[in-house]
Amino acid sequence: DAGTDLDAVKEIIDKNKVTYQNIVPEGATEDFVMSLMAFPTTFFVDSEGNIVSTIQGARDLDGFTKIVEDLLANQA
């Protein structure tokens, strides 16, 4: 949440033994993250660092595979 105390965040992470990557956005990154409307949100990024597609919500392996195949097909 915006404006959350970083110490409180660290306490929750420690208490729940979270082992996955956590990101605490700041500045322009915070504005971007706070503009997201759904979690998880997945970004597909090309070799130049451009976001080429975004999906909101969960997908299974078949769903992600189709998206990647479609993105690759459209690059040709």
Side-chain angles (χ1 to χ4, degrees):
D1 291 332
T4 299
D5 176 27
L6 186 55
D7 290 332
V9 172
K10 290 178 182 178
E11 182 179 327
I12 291 169
I13 289 171
D14 290 341
K15 179 180 176 182
N16 292 291
K17 298 179 177 31
V18 173
T19 58
Y20 50 83
Q21 183 69 38
N22 287 269
I23 299 170
V24 178
E26 296 178 305
T29 306
E30 181 176 5
D31 293 340
F32 174 74
V33 170
M34 295 310 294
S35 72
L36 299 176
M37 302 307 281
F39 294 95
T41 297
T42 303
F43 300 94
F44 293 90
V45 181
D46 69 13
S47 61
E48 296 179 11
N50 301 304
I51 296 174
V52 295
S53 184
T54 303
I55 58 170
Q56 295 183 348
R59 300 291 189 278
D60 61 10
L61 179 59
D62 290 336
F64 277 117
T65 300
K66 176 155 180 28
I67 292 166
V68 171
E69 288 172 348
D70 290 347
L71 288 170
L72 290 172
N74 288 331
Q75 281 189 338

